[in-house]
Each structure stands twice: as C-alpha cells, then as structure tokens.
Amino acid sequence: PEGSGQLAMALAYARYLMCGNRTEDDACGTCSNCRKTDKLAHPDLHFSYPTVGSKATSDQFLREWRDAIGQNPYLNVNDWLQHIGAENRQGNITKEECVAIIKKLSLKTFEADAKVMIIWMPEYLAKEGNRLLKIIEEPPENTYFILVAESAERILNTILSRCQLVKVPKLADQDVIQGLQRTHPDLGDRASGIAHLSEGNFNTALHLAQEKGN
C-alpha cells in the first residue's frame, strides 16, 4: 500500500545488488557503487516513472526525480506529479519511455556487476507495457527489473506473470513513530498521535508532521 516504503526498499535492494563489497546481509554502504546509488546517480541504476507529455521520457525529469526522492522516498504519485508541475494533466509511461528502457538495458554495465531498472508505478504503463514483455522475461545477463507498485490489479497480467510478487505490508505504528523521531525529533509525544492517524502510511505521517510544524 501507499506509504509503506516499497520504493525505499527497492532502492536498498538495488544498492545491495550493485555493491562492490556486499556481505551476506547488506551492502557495505561505503564503496563507490553504494555512494553513487545513494545519490541516485549510478550509471548502472535506471529509473522509469510516470511523466507528463505524450512523448515524454523519464530522463527528461531525472533532476526533479533525484530531488523529490532525496526529500521523500515515501511520496505518492500525486506528490510527484505536483513536483514536476503537472497541474491537471495525468501522468503516464509512454511508448518512447519503453523504447528507452530497452535501449538502456541492451548496453553493458559501466561500473557495477549488475544493471538495475526500477519502474515506479508500473500501473501507468497501460498497454505500452507489452513492449517490455520480452526483455522482462529474458533480461540481459546480470540485469534486474524491480517494479514498485501499489495496485497489482492495474498492472497488465502479461507483465505480472513474468514477475516474482513480493508483498510489502503497511507499517506498524511503532515503525512510523521511530521514523518520525528521526525526521522530526521536535514532535515529541505528538509522534504517537500522528502515527495512529496515518494508518501505516509514512507519507501521510510526514505531511501531518509538516502541518503540525507550521
């Protein structure tokens, strides 16, 4: 569900896959691959996400993406579309974007031993997702797709059937409280009330904390 941290988890897994000194349990966090992944600037880490414009591609919004995710990896699609000034336009993942994905992943790795493509909100692929079926089913060597979704029912069955489904539960109140204590240490006892109101959605909790902070 929204705000459960699935994108943050995908980023952590991508860092693990690309880490040059990973252990059995986690990435090292200090190698060049980890540092670049943390900045969302590794040449072997690719992103796809909803954009606005009939022929738009994610690369055209990469600076805004890095800024938005750097601020809040728990954001929802409405937050993202507002961040790029979509106004009343609906987001989509275009044919041109699917072509760009295939082209990127056909290249050899630049620095890491793996390439990772994170598709955030694949629900927005619609029928264009059929262009990716072959590469998802038979990706190049050491190439990983991570699809970060909120509603499996809105994803093409042809794509779902080629994926391993990992369900991420909503966050427990205590997890939300701990997160708020790190991001808003001035909240004090109010963190508990915000966590209860957020119902496991850390993005909602962040917005509530900001409102109470004003």
Side-chain angles (χ1 to χ4, degrees):
E2 177 188 326
S4 60
Q6 62 271 51
L7 178 56
M9 181 179 293
L11 291 168
Y13 185 46
R15 182 174 71 164
Y16 179 76
L17 289 170
M18 301 170 71
C19 175
N21 300 305
R22 65 174 178 262
T23 65
E24 185 176 339
D25 299 320
D26 204 355
C28 72
T30 58
C31 71
S32 174
N33 287 337
C34 283
R35 294 197 304 271
K36 290 181 180 180
T37 301
D38 287 344
K39 295 178 181 178
L40 311 183
H42 197 292
D44 296 313
L45 175 61
H46 307 283
F47 297 97
S48 180
Y49 34 80
T51 56
V52 289
S54 60
K55 297 184 178 181
T57 63
S58 295
D59 284 349
Q60 295 169 342
F61 297 88
L62 186 56
R63 181 178 59 82
E64 292 88 346
W65 173 256
R66 288 171 176 163
D67 178 58
I69 301 307
Q71 293 180 40
N72 176 18
Y74 295 82
L75 84 174
N76 62 27
V77 70
N78 290 327
D79 294 332
W80 163 241
L81 292 175
Q82 289 180 17
H83 187 78
I84 61 175
E87 297 179 344
N88 294 325
R89 291 176 290 174
Q90 292 193 351
N92 65 330
I93 299 178
T94 64
K95 175 184 74 174
E96 286 74 14
E97 174 70 359
C98 294
V99 172
I101 289 173
I102 295 169
K103 183 176 180 180
K104 288 175 184 176
L105 298 185
S106 67
L107 302 174
K108 293 183 178 180
T109 58
F110 288 93
E111 298 178 13
D113 292 331
K115 293 194 299 288
V116 179
M117 168 61 71
I118 295 177
I119 302 180
W120 183 63
M121 301 301 292
E123 296 94 323
Y124 286 76
L125 275 167
K127 64 180 181 180
E128 298 297 348
N130 283 316
R131 298 176 183 274
L132 301 177
L133 296 183
K134 181 174 176 57
I135 196 169
I136 289 176
E137 184 170 17
E138 299 178 3
E141 187 177 5
N142 296 325
T143 298
Y144 299 86
F145 279 90
I146 305 176
L147 279 60
V148 182
E150 293 177 1
S151 176
E153 293 77 15
R154 291 176 53 200
I155 302 173
L156 290 172
N157 286 330
T158 48
I159 289 181
L160 278 180
S161 66
R162 288 162 168 80
C163 297
Q164 178 180 345
L165 188 62
V166 178
K167 294 188 177 182
V168 181
K170 70 177 184 178
L171 298 172
D173 282 1
Q174 189 57 40
D175 294 326
V176 176
I177 292 170
Q178 291 177 2
L180 289 173
Q181 288 172 341
R182 289 195 297 269
T183 59
H184 294 77
D186 56 320
L187 282 175
D189 294 339
R190 289 179 295 165
S192 179
I194 291 174
H196 179 70
L197 291 173
S198 71
E199 298 182 334
N201 185 331
F202 194 61
N203 186 52
T204 296
L206 290 173
H207 282 296
L208 289 171
Q210 185 64 33
E211 291 174 2
K212 292 182 180 295
N214 291 331

